Amino acid sequence: TAAHPEILVADSCPIIAQGAPEEPAPLQSSRTGKLLDLVPIIEALLLNRRALRNVAQIAAALPILLVVLALAAACDLRTGLIPNALTLAATAFALAVWLSLPLALQPLAAAFTAAAALALLRLGSTVWLGAPGFGWGDVKLAVPLGLVLGWSVLWALYLAVVLAAIVAVSGLATRRFTRRSRIPFAPFILGGTLLHLALPLGVVLDWGAALTL
């Protein structure tokens, strides 16, 4: 071992054995890397700004839509019909709101899905009860509601159907209604929408829909 002292030095000093440490990266490349790390953060901020704008526009449209639903409910209670002029005006307003947002097909698909679901429910009630449970005006109301609420319109309509079923069952139990009695459905659409907006799940769904536009 005395003939090879360099082996002892290498064994006792790992730094010498492994060679000299690497030189630090240039300062310019380090700064460039930090700037590149900021790109996803800036993109997220821009996305959140657009999402907040979408939420603000939808929130501004909701009071007008609720007024339309209230007018439809009043007409349905008084005459049993919802004027076509009211549903057409509501649909035109909802389309204007949808077109003002970044292009997204989810609200449009939700509107037609909601209308189709109510149409199938109307057909089912006709087969089961011998008369439609509600009119086509209620089906048309689902279109502007879906354009503004997005997929959460299905939750609002589900609540409307539950409320209507509770009233119908209680009416049948007390013999105030028969199987052929027609119950105005627009008030339940209004009630289901209000209940949907009041529940935490409704708020979460509306914000989630706006953030994905």
Side-chain angles (χ1 to χ4, degrees), residues 6 27 41 55-56 62 65 67 71 82 92 107 125 139 142 150 159 162 165 188 193 196 209:
E6 66 277 3
L27 182 60
I41 299 176
V55 171
L62 280 176
L65 185 62
V67 170
L71 292 174
I82 300 174
S125 65
V139 177
L159 293 174
V162 170
F188 297 107
T193 303
H196 153 70

Side-chain angles (χ1 to χ4, degrees), residues 46 52 54 65 80 133 140 142 157 190 212:
L46 292 176
L52 291 176
N54 296 346
L65 185 62
K140 297 173 187 176
L157 293 180
L190 174 61
T212 55

